[in-house]
Amino acid sequence: MTIEEKAETAAQFKLSGQCNCCQAVAKVFADTVNVSEENLHQLASGFAAGMGCMEATCGALVGANMILGLRTEGNGTVKQSRELLSKFRQKCGAVTCKDLKGASTGKVLCECDDCVRNAVRSLGEILGE
């Protein structure tokens, strides 16, 4: 599956209601890591509406970072995590769910399905996919 196909599949997981943003991103990379899809789904379950229920990091970005850690086996992950965050911010306009959804401004910067797509794309760029 290409990275664009993964991005669309992840967005559909989110839009269907079967996954939160974090789960949707993690799920499309399940075949590339040594963790079962079920375990990834469970691990990512606490990041619906972003970390801390919109107060902090977007769940889609958290999911991408989880996969990054697994794919790099923890080697150089911090540096690549910074790059992931930067790429995501460039695509979406912010990194916190609260800001992305315009909770305090009333201006939505990026809808959830697009955050999911952009997290997958950003991770794909870092992984060279």
Side-chain angles (χ1 to χ4, degrees):
M1 189 180 314
T2 68
I3 207 65
E4 272 309 307
E5 291 168 332
K6 284 181 181 184
E8 284 307 312
T9 300
Q12 290 310 308
F13 287 148
K14 170 59 181 154
L15 289 169
S16 73
Q18 95 186 64
C19 293
N20 67 38
C21 295
C22 186
Q23 290 167 324
V25 172
K27 186 173 181 171
V28 297
F29 287 97
D31 64 334
T32 70
V33 296
N34 194 23
V35 178
S36 74
E37 189 174 312
E38 180 181 341
N39 284 344
L40 284 173
H41 192 83
Q42 293 168 351
L43 181 64
S45 66
F47 299 99
M51 191 169 164
C53 295
M54 289 185 66
E55 290 299 317
T57 307
C58 168
L61 183 55
V62 171
N65 204 51
M66 287 177 182
I67 296 298
L68 181 62
L70 290 168
R71 292 283 299 267
T72 62
E73 297 179 346
N75 297 313
T77 310
V78 173
K79 181 181 177 192
Q80 289 181 318
S81 179
R82 182 179 297 262
E83 183 181 356
L84 176 65
L85 183 123
S86 177
K87 288 179 180 297
F88 183 85
R89 180 182 283 127
Q90 288 171 355
K91 290 172 177 40
C92 297
V95 297
T96 64
C97 188
K98 183 177 188 175
D99 293 339
L100 290 161
K101 300 302 153 249
S104 56
T105 65
K107 180 183 177 200
V108 176
L109 298 178
C110 195
E111 296 291 347
C112 290
D113 57 319
D114 286 327
C115 288
V116 166
R117 286 182 186 97
N118 288 327
V120 171
R121 289 174 183 138
S122 297
L123 180 57
E125 289 170 17
I126 291 169
L127 297 175
E129 292 183 11

